[in-house]
Each structure stands twice: as C-alpha cells, then as structure tokens.
Amino acid sequence: QIAALADALDDKEAMEVILHHHLPIFHTEHCVFCRFMSSGSSKRDCGQPCEAHQVHLRDHMGSDHLVLADQGCRNTVFNAQAQSGAHFFDRWRQAGLRHFRVELADESPQVARSIVQRYD
C-alpha cells in the first residue's frame, strides 16, 4: 500500500516512511514508576524515578517490554520486538521514496548502529 501511494504521488519528497520502530502496545494513566519505585502518589511527591531508572515488563513468553513515562506521568509499554519494513525497503526505493525513519527505544549504541547499517 505504501509503494502504491508513493507511485501515485507527484512529490515523493513529501513522504517519510517509518522503517523500524517498537509499536506502543499499551497506555495507562497510572505510573508504574511512581507505584513501585517511590512512596509518593503523584508527580508532586514521587521524586520522578522515571528520570533515573528503566523499567521493562516481562510477559509470559519472556519478552521484556520497555515502559516509558511521558511528561504527564502516563506510561506507555512498547512491544519488545520491533516492527521492521526491511522486506519492503527495495520496493519503496524503487517507488521513489527517499526519506525513511528508524525509531529506537532503548537499544545500545552498538545495536543501533547494526540496525541502521541493515538499511544502508
């Protein structure tokens, strides 16, 4: 569908495709960081442990899903397995697409480099 859309566009430079990212799989208004890492009950008194710690939730299959807090203390859980458009990359390039985004979560610099080099 993305290639077909690109084929129909006159200005392919206006289109950017997300090539790699971790899908958000769950949002909550409740802060996991505040609940389990502080004695506070809100942003006013929790000490913002989310700024100093990383949290992953492990599912029944053993996958570790990253949890991030936003500025409003809402939490988002991101799928441990990133979605990749690698198998579509050549077709998208043939369709004239040139702007691609790789969104990383908590990958190390070495893993990030490896991911980006796959698409080079």
Side-chain angles (χ1 to χ4, degrees):
Q1 290 175 334
I2 291 173
L5 177 61
D7 288 337
L9 288 175
D10 291 331
D11 181 14
K12 293 175 183 23
E13 291 294 313
M15 189 169 173
E16 179 182 71
V17 177
I18 299 174
L19 190 57
H20 180 99
H21 70 116
H22 293 268
L23 282 172
I25 55 175
F26 184 78
H27 297 284
T28 179
E29 293 286 328
H30 303 284
C31 184
V32 173
F33 297 89
C34 182
R35 171 67 177 88
F36 294 104
M37 297 181 157
S38 82
S39 57
S41 61
S42 72
K43 185 175 183 170
R44 291 182 302 250
D45 62 1
C46 74
Q48 283 84 41
C50 57
E51 294 179 8
H53 299 282
Q54 251 190 7
V55 170
H56 290 81
L57 298 178
R58 182 168 292 143
D59 67 17
H60 67 288
M61 301 293 288
S63 296
D64 290 328
H65 304 280
L66 176 66
V67 180
L68 293 178
D70 66 17
Q71 294 169 338
C73 297
R74 294 171 298 261
N75 288 187
T76 302
V77 179
F78 292 89
N79 195 327
Q81 180 64 43
Q83 298 291 309
S84 172
H87 51 285
F88 299 113
F89 187 60
D90 290 338
R91 172 64 183 104
W92 292 342
R93 300 243 335 142
Q94 289 170 0
L97 295 172
R98 297 294 179 261
H99 300 287
F100 300 95
R101 184 184 325 163
V102 173
E103 294 183 352
L104 304 173
D106 61 346
E107 289 83 357
S108 69
Q110 296 81 8
V111 170
R113 190 175 304 109
S114 171
I115 291 168
V116 171
Q117 287 173 344
R118 273 189 249 160
Y119 302 114
D120 195 10

